[in-house]
Structures are given as structure tokens and as C-alpha cells.
Short mmCIF file of all heavy atoms in Angstrom, two decimals:
data_model
loop_
_atom_site.label_atom_id
_atom_site.label_comp_id
_atom_site.label_asym_id
_atom_site.label_seq_id
_atom_site.Cartn_x
_atom_site.Cartn_y
_atom_site.Cartn_z
N LEU A 111 6.59 4.23 -1.35
CA LEU A 111 5.13 4.19 -1.17
C LEU A 111 4.61 2.76 -1.49
O LEU A 111 4.69 2.30 -2.54
CB LEU A 111 4.42 5.12 -2.01
CG LEU A 111 4.15 6.59 -1.50
CD1 LEU A 111 5.49 7.29 -1.01
CD2 LEU A 111 3.36 7.54 -2.40
N PHE A 112 4.07 2.12 -0.47
CA PHE A 112 3.61 0.77 -0.70
C PHE A 112 2.02 0.79 -0.78
O PHE A 112 1.33 1.36 0.04
CB PHE A 112 3.92 -0.07 0.57
CG PHE A 112 5.47 -0.32 0.69
CD1 PHE A 112 6.26 0.72 1.33
CD2 PHE A 112 6.00 -1.43 0.15
CE1 PHE A 112 7.68 0.55 1.46
CE2 PHE A 112 7.44 -1.54 0.24
CZ PHE A 112 8.19 -0.75 0.93
N GLY A 113 1.39 0.23 -1.78
CA GLY A 113 0.09 0.09 -1.99
C GLY A 113 -0.27 -0.20 -3.44
O GLY A 113 0.49 -0.78 -4.24
N ASP A 114 -1.54 -0.04 -3.79
CA ASP A 114 -2.05 -0.18 -5.08
C ASP A 114 -1.28 0.67 -6.10
O ASP A 114 -1.54 1.89 -6.22
CB ASP A 114 -3.57 0.07 -5.15
CG ASP A 114 -4.09 -0.44 -6.51
OD1 ASP A 114 -3.64 0.06 -7.47
OD2 ASP A 114 -5.01 -1.20 -6.52
N GLU A 115 -0.39 0.16 -7.00
CA GLU A 115 0.42 0.81 -7.88
C GLU A 115 -0.47 1.67 -8.88
O GLU A 115 -0.04 2.72 -9.16
CB GLU A 115 1.33 -0.14 -8.72
CG GLU A 115 2.33 0.41 -9.55
CD GLU A 115 3.34 -0.63 -10.04
OE1 GLU A 115 2.99 -1.73 -10.18
OE2 GLU A 115 4.50 -0.23 -10.40
N LYS A 116 -1.52 1.09 -9.38
CA LYS A 116 -2.28 1.93 -10.27
C LYS A 116 -2.89 3.10 -9.63
O LYS A 116 -2.84 4.14 -10.26
CB LYS A 116 -3.46 0.87 -10.85
CG LYS A 116 -4.19 1.63 -12.05
CD LYS A 116 -5.20 0.54 -12.57
CE LYS A 116 -6.10 1.26 -13.71
NZ LYS A 116 -7.06 0.21 -14.24
N GLN A 117 -3.43 2.89 -8.52
CA GLN A 117 -4.06 4.14 -7.88
C GLN A 117 -2.99 5.20 -7.48
O GLN A 117 -3.31 6.38 -7.74
CB GLN A 117 -4.77 3.69 -6.54
CG GLN A 117 -6.13 2.85 -6.71
CD GLN A 117 -6.75 2.66 -5.38
OE1 GLN A 117 -7.14 3.67 -4.63
NE2 GLN A 117 -7.01 1.44 -4.99
N ILE A 118 -1.95 4.76 -6.88
CA ILE A 118 -0.89 5.68 -6.49
C ILE A 118 -0.23 6.45 -7.71
O ILE A 118 -0.17 7.74 -7.70
CB ILE A 118 0.24 4.96 -5.73
CG1 ILE A 118 -0.38 4.37 -4.41
CG2 ILE A 118 1.36 5.98 -5.38
CD1 ILE A 118 0.60 3.39 -3.65
N ASN A 119 -0.03 5.63 -8.77
CA ASN A 119 0.59 6.44 -9.98
C ASN A 119 -0.41 7.31 -10.63
O ASN A 119 0.07 8.38 -11.15
CB ASN A 119 1.02 5.34 -10.98
CG ASN A 119 2.29 4.71 -10.53
OD1 ASN A 119 3.15 5.24 -9.90
ND2 ASN A 119 2.54 3.42 -11.10
N GLY A 120 -1.71 7.13 -10.37
CA GLY A 120 -2.55 8.01 -10.98
C GLY A 120 -2.73 9.33 -10.24
O GLY A 120 -3.34 10.24 -10.79
N LEU A 121 -2.24 9.36 -8.96
CA LEU A 121 -2.47 10.52 -8.15
C LEU A 121 -1.11 11.24 -8.20
O LEU A 121 -1.14 12.50 -8.01
CB LEU A 121 -2.81 10.11 -6.77
CG LEU A 121 -4.14 9.44 -6.58
CD1 LEU A 121 -4.26 8.75 -5.20
CD2 LEU A 121 -5.16 10.48 -6.72
N LEU A 122 0.02 10.67 -8.52
CA LEU A 122 1.32 11.41 -8.48
C LEU A 122 1.47 12.32 -9.50
O LEU A 122 1.30 12.10 -10.71
CB LEU A 122 2.50 10.35 -8.58
CG LEU A 122 2.69 9.50 -7.29
CD1 LEU A 122 3.82 8.45 -7.63
CD2 LEU A 122 3.34 10.37 -6.24
N LYS A 123 1.94 13.58 -9.16
CA LYS A 123 2.22 14.66 -10.04
C LYS A 123 3.60 14.38 -10.84
O LYS A 123 3.74 14.55 -11.95
CB LYS A 123 2.24 15.89 -9.48
CG LYS A 123 0.96 16.37 -8.93
CD LYS A 123 1.05 17.79 -8.25
CE LYS A 123 -0.25 18.24 -7.63
NZ LYS A 123 -0.22 19.42 -6.85
N ASN A 124 4.50 13.87 -10.06
CA ASN A 124 5.83 13.38 -10.61
C ASN A 124 6.38 12.47 -9.53
O ASN A 124 6.09 12.50 -8.42
CB ASN A 124 6.65 14.54 -10.90
CG ASN A 124 7.25 15.19 -9.76
OD1 ASN A 124 8.14 14.61 -8.90
ND2 ASN A 124 6.81 16.40 -9.42
N LYS A 125 7.32 11.59 -10.08
CA LYS A 125 7.91 10.45 -9.15
C LYS A 125 9.28 10.84 -8.68
O LYS A 125 10.05 9.84 -8.34
CB LYS A 125 7.83 9.25 -10.08
CG LYS A 125 6.31 8.71 -10.38
CD LYS A 125 6.36 7.42 -11.02
CE LYS A 125 6.76 6.18 -10.00
NZ LYS A 125 6.50 4.96 -10.71
N ASP A 126 9.66 12.05 -8.83
CA ASP A 126 11.06 12.42 -8.24
C ASP A 126 11.04 12.01 -6.83
O ASP A 126 10.31 12.39 -5.89
CB ASP A 126 11.18 13.98 -8.44
CG ASP A 126 12.61 14.36 -7.98
OD1 ASP A 126 13.46 13.65 -8.30
OD2 ASP A 126 12.68 15.52 -7.50
N ARG A 127 12.10 11.33 -6.53
CA ARG A 127 12.46 10.71 -5.18
C ARG A 127 11.30 9.92 -4.51
O ARG A 127 11.28 9.87 -3.35
CB ARG A 127 12.88 11.72 -4.26
CG ARG A 127 14.32 12.24 -4.73
CD ARG A 127 14.86 13.40 -3.72
NE ARG A 127 14.25 14.58 -4.03
CZ ARG A 127 13.44 15.30 -3.26
NH1 ARG A 127 13.13 14.77 -2.12
NH2 ARG A 127 13.08 16.40 -3.51
N ILE A 128 10.43 9.42 -5.36
CA ILE A 128 9.27 8.65 -4.88
C ILE A 128 9.28 7.21 -5.72
O ILE A 128 9.32 7.23 -6.86
CB ILE A 128 7.93 9.30 -5.15
CG1 ILE A 128 7.71 10.47 -4.20
CG2 ILE A 128 6.79 8.25 -4.80
CD1 ILE A 128 6.45 11.22 -4.37
N THR A 129 9.45 6.19 -4.91
CA THR A 129 9.22 4.88 -5.48
C THR A 129 7.96 4.05 -5.04
O THR A 129 7.80 4.05 -3.83
CB THR A 129 10.51 4.00 -5.00
OG1 THR A 129 11.66 4.57 -5.30
CG2 THR A 129 10.45 2.60 -5.56
N VAL A 130 7.20 3.67 -6.03
CA VAL A 130 5.99 2.96 -5.68
C VAL A 130 6.26 1.52 -5.65
O VAL A 130 6.72 0.93 -6.71
CB VAL A 130 4.87 3.29 -6.70
CG1 VAL A 130 3.64 2.66 -6.36
CG2 VAL A 130 4.58 4.87 -6.74
N VAL A 131 5.97 0.80 -4.66
CA VAL A 131 5.94 -0.71 -4.53
C VAL A 131 4.67 -1.25 -4.36
O VAL A 131 3.89 -1.03 -3.42
CB VAL A 131 6.87 -1.03 -3.25
CG1 VAL A 131 7.06 -2.52 -3.28
CG2 VAL A 131 8.17 -0.29 -3.35
N HIS A 132 4.23 -2.16 -5.40
CA HIS A 132 2.99 -2.66 -5.40
C HIS A 132 2.64 -3.57 -4.28
O HIS A 132 3.51 -4.47 -3.95
CB HIS A 132 2.63 -3.28 -6.75
CG HIS A 132 1.21 -3.77 -6.92
ND1 HIS A 132 0.12 -3.02 -6.79
CD2 HIS A 132 0.83 -5.18 -6.94
CE1 HIS A 132 -0.93 -3.77 -6.95
NE2 HIS A 132 -0.65 -5.06 -7.06
N SER A 133 1.51 -3.41 -3.68
CA SER A 133 1.10 -4.54 -2.59
C SER A 133 -0.27 -4.88 -3.00
O SER A 133 -1.14 -4.08 -3.49
CB SER A 133 1.15 -3.94 -1.23
OG SER A 133 0.07 -2.84 -1.19
N SER A 134 -0.61 -6.15 -2.90
CA SER A 134 -1.92 -6.74 -3.40
C SER A 134 -3.00 -6.85 -2.17
O SER A 134 -4.15 -7.03 -2.42
CB SER A 134 -1.69 -8.11 -3.88
OG SER A 134 -1.10 -9.00 -2.77
N GLU A 135 -2.49 -6.51 -1.04
CA GLU A 135 -3.47 -6.50 0.14
C GLU A 135 -3.52 -5.17 0.98
O GLU A 135 -2.52 -4.51 0.94
CB GLU A 135 -3.08 -7.68 1.10
CG GLU A 135 -3.26 -9.00 0.50
CD GLU A 135 -2.91 -10.12 1.39
OE1 GLU A 135 -1.73 -10.16 1.77
OE2 GLU A 135 -3.74 -10.91 1.73
N VAL A 136 -4.67 -4.99 1.67
CA VAL A 136 -4.70 -3.79 2.56
C VAL A 136 -5.16 -4.24 3.89
O VAL A 136 -6.19 -5.12 3.94
CB VAL A 136 -5.62 -2.71 2.07
CG1 VAL A 136 -5.87 -1.61 3.03
CG2 VAL A 136 -5.06 -2.21 0.61
N ILE A 137 -4.60 -3.95 5.05
CA ILE A 137 -5.18 -4.14 6.40
C ILE A 137 -6.22 -2.97 6.70
O ILE A 137 -5.80 -1.91 6.77
CB ILE A 137 -4.06 -4.13 7.42
CG1 ILE A 137 -3.07 -5.24 7.15
CG2 ILE A 137 -4.67 -4.26 8.83
CD1 ILE A 137 -1.88 -5.43 8.15
N GLY A 138 -7.39 -3.46 6.87
CA GLY A 138 -8.51 -2.42 7.12
C GLY A 138 -8.57 -2.10 8.55
O GLY A 138 -8.02 -2.67 9.42
N MET A 139 -9.39 -1.08 8.80
CA MET A 139 -9.52 -0.62 10.14
C MET A 139 -10.23 -1.66 11.12
O MET A 139 -10.07 -1.52 12.31
CB MET A 139 -10.43 0.80 10.20
CG MET A 139 -9.64 1.94 9.50
SD MET A 139 -8.28 2.34 10.41
CE MET A 139 -7.80 3.91 9.55
N ASN A 140 -11.03 -2.55 10.49
CA ASN A 140 -11.71 -3.40 11.26
C ASN A 140 -11.04 -4.83 11.45
O ASN A 140 -11.53 -5.78 12.10
CB ASN A 140 -13.17 -3.70 10.86
CG ASN A 140 -13.96 -2.50 10.88
OD1 ASN A 140 -13.93 -1.72 11.97
ND2 ASN A 140 -14.90 -2.13 9.87
N ASP A 141 -9.89 -4.92 10.79
CA ASP A 141 -9.07 -6.21 10.97
C ASP A 141 -8.46 -6.38 12.20
O ASP A 141 -8.07 -5.49 12.93
CB ASP A 141 -7.98 -6.20 9.89
CG ASP A 141 -8.50 -6.52 8.50
OD1 ASP A 141 -9.55 -7.09 8.43
OD2 ASP A 141 -7.80 -6.26 7.47
N GLU A 142 -8.46 -7.62 12.73
CA GLU A 142 -7.83 -7.90 13.93
C GLU A 142 -6.26 -7.71 13.90
O GLU A 142 -5.66 -8.27 12.95
CB GLU A 142 -8.10 -9.38 14.45
CG GLU A 142 -7.77 -9.66 15.96
CD GLU A 142 -6.35 -9.93 16.17
OE1 GLU A 142 -5.82 -10.56 15.37
OE2 GLU A 142 -5.85 -9.32 17.16
N PRO A 143 -5.70 -6.76 14.56
CA PRO A 143 -4.36 -6.45 14.29
C PRO A 143 -3.19 -7.55 14.18
O PRO A 143 -2.58 -7.55 13.08
CB PRO A 143 -4.03 -5.37 15.53
CG PRO A 143 -5.31 -4.93 15.90
CD PRO A 143 -6.30 -6.09 15.74
N VAL A 144 -3.12 -8.26 15.15
CA VAL A 144 -1.90 -9.21 15.11
C VAL A 144 -2.24 -10.37 14.04
O VAL A 144 -1.27 -10.68 13.24
CB VAL A 144 -1.78 -9.82 16.54
CG1 VAL A 144 -0.71 -10.94 16.46
CG2 VAL A 144 -1.34 -8.82 17.58
N LYS A 145 -3.49 -10.74 13.97
CA LYS A 145 -3.74 -11.65 12.86
C LYS A 145 -3.57 -11.29 11.56
O LYS A 145 -3.00 -11.88 10.68
CB LYS A 145 -5.28 -12.12 13.18
CG LYS A 145 -5.78 -13.18 12.23
CD LYS A 145 -7.24 -13.52 12.50
CE LYS A 145 -7.76 -14.63 11.44
NZ LYS A 145 -9.17 -14.96 11.84
N ALA A 146 -3.99 -9.87 11.35
CA ALA A 146 -3.80 -9.31 10.03
C ALA A 146 -2.29 -9.13 9.59
O ALA A 146 -1.97 -9.39 8.53
CB ALA A 146 -4.43 -8.08 9.96
N VAL A 147 -1.52 -8.79 10.58
CA VAL A 147 -0.06 -8.62 10.37
C VAL A 147 0.55 -9.97 9.98
O VAL A 147 1.46 -10.03 9.07
CB VAL A 147 0.62 -7.94 11.56
CG1 VAL A 147 2.15 -8.02 11.44
CG2 VAL A 147 0.22 -6.39 11.62
N ARG A 148 0.07 -11.01 10.68
CA ARG A 148 0.79 -12.30 10.41
C ARG A 148 0.21 -12.96 9.21
O ARG A 148 0.90 -13.72 8.48
CB ARG A 148 0.34 -13.32 11.68
CG ARG A 148 1.32 -12.90 12.83
CD ARG A 148 0.88 -13.65 14.08
NE ARG A 148 1.80 -13.44 15.19
CZ ARG A 148 1.67 -13.82 16.46
NH1 ARG A 148 0.51 -14.35 16.65
NH2 ARG A 148 2.49 -13.59 17.37
N LYS A 149 -1.09 -12.66 8.77
CA LYS A 149 -1.63 -13.39 7.56
C LYS A 149 -1.48 -12.54 6.34
O LYS A 149 -1.27 -13.12 5.21
CB LYS A 149 -3.02 -13.72 7.83
CG LYS A 149 -3.18 -14.95 8.80
CD LYS A 149 -4.61 -15.46 8.83
CE LYS A 149 -4.68 -16.76 9.66
NZ LYS A 149 -5.98 -17.42 9.66
N LYS A 150 -1.66 -11.26 6.38
CA LYS A 150 -1.64 -10.45 5.22
C LYS A 150 -0.09 -10.03 4.94
O LYS A 150 0.20 -8.74 5.04
CB LYS A 150 -2.49 -9.24 5.35
CG LYS A 150 -4.03 -9.61 5.36
CD LYS A 150 -4.89 -8.39 5.36
CE LYS A 150 -6.36 -8.75 5.34
NZ LYS A 150 -7.27 -7.64 5.21
#
């Protein structure tokens, strides 16, 4: 699971077979796709 580690860990009931990898950015629905993938 890639995302905000604090938010995700706060929602998990247990971490069996789940690895949380922290990411500092999010591509939003209004972001320009190719530009966002290349820059974020």
C-alpha cells in the first residue's frame, strides 16, 4: 500500500501480509496526467 503512512496505519485493523510504503505526494483527479506522472 503506497500512500500517507500515518493515515493508512490508522485505518488498518492488522498488517498481516500488508506492507505500507510512505509516499509524500498524491496525483489528484484534476492533475494533468502525463505531467503529473513525470513530475510527482
Side-chain angles (χ1 to χ4, degrees):
L111 269 60
F112 294 84
D114 187 305
E115 189 174 24
K116 184 176 180 180
Q117 287 190 61
I118 296 171
N119 284 332
L121 294 166
L122 284 170
K123 294 178 181 177
N124 70 74
K125 297 183 70 174
D126 183 33
R127 285 181 285 110
I128 292 177
T129 300
V130 180
V131 183
H132 181 69
S133 65
S134 59
E135 296 178 297
V136 176
I137 294 179
M139 292 297 192
N140 294 322
D141 282 342
E142 196 282 317
V144 175
K145 183 178 179 181
V147 168
R148 287 177 172 166
K149 289 196 171 184
K150 292 188 174 182

